[in-house]
Amino acid sequence: MDLRRFAETRGMISSQAAARKSVVAFSTDKPAAAATSAPATPAVNPVMTLFPLTSAAVATAGIMYPVDVMRALSMSSAGSKEPFSIGAYYQKFGLKGFVSKGVVPEIAKSTVMRVSKFFFFPLICTNLHGKSAADCSVGEKAIAGALATVPEILMISPLEVAKIGIQLDVDNKYNNNSRAFLKDLYKTRGVSGLWCGWAGMQWRQSFWTGTFFATLQWWKTTVEPPMIDNGIPKPVATLVAGFLAGFFATFPNAPGDVVRSVVQKKLFLDPTRPAYSISPMGVAEHITVAREIIASSGIRGLYSGLGFKAMHLGGSGALMAVLIPAFSRMMGIPYGGV
């Protein structure tokens, strides 16, 4: 009997000791687990990126505007007997003509255009390809970049039409008033006039944006390391990489821009010419005008004003590649598109 009580007592003591060990283990493990699980970083609302994107876009539009004037005038003269002359334009309008004619619609249009493409690009990468822009392949970036331009063209077309209309108003009929120009265009051509040249604008935006986003990282990888190794500041190296990406993206972009510039110029000069907007007839009109340019000036006619355009888009790409990260850091809003 005594032996049995002794055994039972010993068993109870062992059970109590084991329970205490379990309690101690549980109480010590819990804080350890809590210490190793860091709180997740909250995702940034994509809408917040509009602030650094807008700041970069406005600055870029203002800086590049004089080059855009020369680009538009040079391209719209493709196939004509009176090519654009900087000297003749300067004699007529002075330096003010390069920095004021159509400047309001241009800055408004370019800001909306750049903000839109840079805003939608990473979103399309995520939703279409299921990965961040940095993880996308060259082809995936090209597709996302091209698709990112669809909203911007729908938004900017009237502003683009107003800008080029004022820039081509060499007789100063509208006194540099884009609103007066659009009002007159709407009165004579209806809504279609506000989206004339749509096909060419969609072409130019899709090809430039797709090419720019597809090649920017390659240019950064190729250009930045050797420049930084030679003591050149990183922002300058990024500026060069962005310029090269924008510059070479001009080549597939240029024909569409030249053709739409001529389409719009013809519409503005001929009050009897019908206006085609977003329609198959608009596409057919661009094909017809392209053939006319080639017949008059050869294939090179489709690249009229290429020098000004390459400088404009190269400079735009360079500034956006540098200014977006700069404004993002300044505002504390990360952006993953460039």
Side-chain angles (χ1 to χ4, degrees):
M1 181 66 69
D2 293 336
L3 291 174
R4 186 169 60 185
R5 288 179 178 175
F6 175 77
E8 289 175 353
T9 302
R10 185 176 181 183
M12 291 174 63
I13 294 171
S14 299
S15 298
Q16 292 173 357
R20 284 195 299 270
K21 289 180 179 180
S22 298
V23 172
V24 171
F26 178 79
S27 62
T28 55
D29 288 344
K30 189 172 182 180
T36 56
S37 58
T41 303
V44 176
N45 187 335
V47 175
M48 296 300 295
T49 63
L50 291 174
F51 292 101
L53 292 179
T54 301
S55 300
V58 171
T60 299
I63 294 171
M64 298 307 301
Y65 181 72
V67 183
D68 182 69
V69 172
M70 292 183 282
R71 174 203 65 80
L73 293 169
S74 181
M75 285 188 161
S76 63
S77 66
S80 70
K81 297 179 180 179
E82 297 180 3
F84 167 66
S85 168
I86 295 178
Y89 189 81
Y90 177 78
Q91 287 181 355
K92 188 163 190 176
F93 297 103
L95 185 61
K96 184 179 179 181
F98 293 97
V99 296
S100 64
K101 284 184 69 64
V103 67
V104 173
E106 165 59 16
I107 291 181
K109 181 270 300 183
S110 294
T111 298
V112 172
M113 175 186 73
R114 293 186 178 105
V115 169
S116 179
K117 73 167 85 265
F118 281 90
F119 175 76
F120 284 109
F121 171 66
L123 294 181
I124 293 175
C125 286
T126 301
N127 290 280
L128 180 63
H129 304 307
K131 59 184 80 172
S132 67
D135 295 328
C136 285
S137 66
V138 170
E140 290 170 338
K141 289 179 180 178
I143 293 172
L147 292 176
T149 65
V150 174
E152 74 185 64
I153 288 300
L154 295 175
M155 291 186 288
I156 72 168
S157 288
L159 292 171
E160 177 72 19
V161 169
K163 180 207 71 172
I164 194 169
I166 293 299
Q167 290 176 341
L168 295 177
D169 182 22
V170 294
D171 296 326
N172 210 22
K173 174 183 177 181
Y174 299 100
N175 196 27
N176 200 27
N177 189 326
S178 57
R179 183 178 178 182
F181 173 82
L182 286 177
K183 185 178 180 180
D184 185 54
L185 184 65
Y186 176 76
K187 181 180 179 181
T188 56
R189 307 303 172 85
V191 175
S192 296
L194 304 182
W195 272 269
C196 67
W198 163 81
M201 288 188 283
Q202 187 61 67
W203 170 293
R204 73 165 195 182
Q205 298 302 100
S206 296
F207 275 90
W208 186 86
T209 306
T211 305
F212 175 79
F213 281 123
T215 60
L216 178 60
Q217 188 56 48
W218 183 84
W219 284 112
K220 284 184 174 182
T221 304
T222 304
V223 171
E224 288 184 1
M227 293 184 70
I228 293 172
D229 289 343
N230 283 280
I232 297 174
K234 188 177 186 302
V236 177
T238 302
L239 197 72
V240 173
F243 178 85
L244 292 171
F247 179 90
F248 284 101
T250 304
F251 292 91
N253 153 290
D257 203 14
V258 169
V259 174
R260 72 94 192 181
S261 297
V262 176
V263 165
Q264 291 171 334
K265 183 177 181 179
K266 286 177 176 289
L267 181 71
F268 302 156
L269 295 179
D270 184 0
T272 65
R273 188 180 180 89
Y276 302 111
S277 57
I278 305 174
S279 66
M281 290 299 295
V283 176
E285 179 185 34
H286 280 69
I287 294 173
T288 299
V289 170
R291 288 174 175 171
E292 292 173 355
I293 294 173
I294 293 173
S296 173
S297 308
I299 293 293
R300 66 180 182 180
L302 296 178
Y303 290 87
S304 297
L306 182 63
F308 292 129
K309 185 170 183 61
M311 292 298 294
H312 179 252
L313 293 181
S316 299
L319 290 170
M320 292 297 283
V322 171
L323 292 178
I324 290 177
F327 281 112
S328 294
R329 288 191 299 269
M330 188 185 307
M331 298 178 182
I333 303 172
Y335 171 77
V338 294

